[in-house]
Amino acid sequence: MTAALARPDPLVAAQGKLKPGEFRWSPGRAPSEPIVVIVSIPDQLTFVYRNGVRIGAATCSTGKPGHSTPTGVFTVLQKRVEHYSSIYNNAPMPFMQRLTWRGIALHAGDLPGYPASAGCVRLPMRFAKKLFAMTDMG
């Protein structure tokens, strides 16, 4: 009897293999709610789970030294497709999902491959758009 070889999960394999700006997205793996987003600050990676199943993985850019990204559990407080920072020179923050009232959010932005934001979690544009469409406030 021959044992069947399990095919590697491309979303699990993506961890550590994505280049800045890359992502994997497979929402059909788990068609029902709830959604959880986990950000790995040391790895500069973001993972999206729906009903406990990983459906997405992307590179990200978190807070640079002196502007750390807070850790903890957050809910989406506000959503805007088009948003501009009132703190940082009107910087564009497409597909913004506010996590704190002190200016921390998930949003599309520049992804240099290292922590470079003012505390927000920057995501690839297409990934941010897909995630934005899937989440609700609260």
Side-chain angles (χ1 to χ4, degrees):
M1 183 169 189
T2 307
L5 295 176
R7 293 193 319 175
D9 182 334
L11 292 172
V12 172
Q15 183 171 346
K17 296 184 182 191
L18 295 174
K19 295 178 183 154
E22 288 186 333
F23 69 92
R24 303 288 184 269
W25 190 254
S26 188
R29 294 166 48 92
S32 63
E33 307 291 333
I35 302 273
V36 174
V37 178
I38 297 176
V39 177
S40 173
I41 294 172
D43 296 324
Q44 295 294 282
L45 292 169
T46 303
F47 302 99
V48 179
Y49 293 85
R50 184 160 54 186
N51 202 22
V53 177
R54 187 183 296 178
I55 62 166
T59 59
C60 66
S61 183
T62 59
K64 60 188 172 188
H67 295 275
S68 62
T69 298
T71 60
V73 177
F74 304 93
T75 59
V76 176
L77 301 172
Q78 183 182 49
K79 291 176 69 167
R80 289 196 179 140
V81 171
E82 187 176 340
H83 181 75
Y84 297 90
S85 174
S86 60
I87 301 170
Y88 296 103
N89 299 321
N90 215 28
M93 301 168 77
F95 303 104
M96 185 275 297
Q97 298 187 69
R98 184 180 304 280
L99 302 178
T100 74
W101 291 116
R102 301 193 107 175
I104 303 300
L106 301 168
H107 64 81
D110 185 43
L111 299 162
Y114 52 85
S117 80
C120 287
V121 178
R122 297 181 191 164
L123 302 167
M125 179 68 78
R126 289 187 5 225
F127 184 85
K129 182 177 182 179
K130 291 174 184 294
L131 181 61
F132 186 93
M134 185 175 283
T135 61
D136 295 314
M137 290 193 338

